Amino acid sequence: MDIGVHNGTMLRHLEHRSARQNIDYSIADMEIGPVYGLKSVDEIFIGDLTRGYPDIPSNGYDVVICEQVLEHITTLETPIRTLERITRPGGYLFAGVPAFPHGIHKVREVAQPTWDRYFPPGKIRGHVQSFSTQKFLRLFKELTKLEPVGVRGFRFISGGPLRALEEYQWWWRLSQTVGRTMPSICTEIQVQFRKPMTAANDCQLAASHSSPFGSNGVAEHRATAPVGE
């Protein structure tokens, strides 16, 4: 299950792997635009993560992916609990967000609104959360029974003219090494969580609903409440 599929980045990574034919791949987002490889998707869920995606069955997915989503959400309790709920006991959640060194994230939380008040950015900022690795892990510990089993970082230097270096394998390998050994100094992190086998008894089951097939021939589900209400 890929939550916040955007334009289909994950499917690009999966399609050339030999195990792809054995994977049932589902996606969920507030709206589904042009998504790479959409015809090979098994299920589509359209809805709002802040409302808990009641159409997505509980304990139903061996792997849940939520990349670059949570930083855009003002309230995190329901989204994080939902990620736990839909993960199968013994399964894994991969959750990734932009991150700051611990302590700097608090400066950003306070300074950014003040800065924008006096120097309006001219656009709506998409990121409304500031995370450090420690804060991100603490949130999941407080809200779920998921067990962190690995943390890795990406882009220890990010943005500007240096972004072009990401096209080179030597830079990618260097970034990978730094991210594996010192994730807390990277600008993006991904945490791998495992759902304990006993956690199934602690998650409230949500009703799942069968729906007609969408126009592209895959199962399509919509939230019972319109997005944004």
Side-chain angles (χ1 to χ4, degrees):
M1 168 58 72
D2 191 354
I3 300 284
V5 65
H6 189 45
N7 60 10
T9 301
M10 183 53 59
L11 197 54
R12 294 177 189 268
H13 289 289
L14 291 175
E15 66 175 351
H16 297 300
R17 296 181 179 272
S18 58
R20 171 66 184 98
Q21 61 185 347
N22 300 320
I23 298 173
D24 293 327
Y25 182 66
S26 303
I27 63 175
D29 215 325
M30 292 187 71
E31 58 183 33
I32 304 296
V35 176
Y36 181 83
L38 188 61
K39 291 183 179 179
S40 66
V41 171
D42 297 285
E43 287 181 304
I44 297 175
F45 293 89
I46 300 174
D48 189 339
L49 182 58
T50 64
R51 293 181 176 272
Y53 272 116
D55 287 351
I56 299 181
S58 297
N59 305 310
Y61 297 91
D62 295 308
V63 176
V64 175
I65 301 162
C66 185
E67 274 286 344
Q68 309 302 307
V69 174
L70 296 176
E71 69 273 15
H72 299 278
I73 297 175
T74 55
T75 56
L76 294 172
E77 182 174 351
T78 295
I80 288 176
R81 291 187 188 278
T82 298
L83 296 176
E84 178 190 30
R85 176 182 66 79
I86 66 177
T87 304
R88 179 171 294 165
Y92 293 89
L93 164 67
F94 293 84
V97 293
F100 297 86
H102 194 63
I104 301 299
H105 77 288
K106 294 296 294 183
V107 174
R108 197 263 186 187
E109 283 180 359
V110 176
Q112 194 72 74
T114 303
W115 176 270
D116 288 350
R117 189 177 305 121
Y118 294 102
F119 303 97
K123 63 179 182 179
I124 298 176
R125 291 191 183 275
H127 292 189
V128 296
Q129 297 284 350
S130 297
F131 295 107
S132 67
T133 302
Q134 292 91 324
K135 175 184 175 180
F136 197 61
L137 290 169
R138 188 184 72 248
L139 278 170
F140 276 83
K141 182 177 181 180
E142 292 173 352
L143 296 173
T144 75
K145 296 183 181 298
L146 296 171
E147 301 169 345
V149 294
V151 181
R152 57 181 176 178
F154 304 90
R155 292 178 172 166
F156 67 99
I157 299 176
S158 178
L162 293 178
R163 188 177 296 276
L165 292 173
E166 296 179 5
E167 300 298 326
Y168 296 92
Q169 283 217 354
W170 66 268
W171 180 262
W172 180 82
R173 291 193 183 99
L174 175 61
S175 184
Q176 184 183 48
T177 300
V178 174
R180 196 166 47 234
T181 56
M182 296 181 289
S184 294
I185 71 169
C186 294
T187 61
E188 297 179 21
I189 58 166
Q190 182 189 76
V191 182
Q192 178 183 353
F193 296 95
R194 182 179 181 273
K195 185 172 181 176
M197 295 298 294
T198 56
N201 297 327
D202 301 315
C203 288
Q204 182 178 4
L205 295 178
S208 60
H209 308 282
S210 59
S211 304
F213 282 97
S215 58
N216 61 351
V218 300
E220 183 173 310
H221 310 261
R222 290 185 178 270
T224 53
V227 173
E229 277 196 356

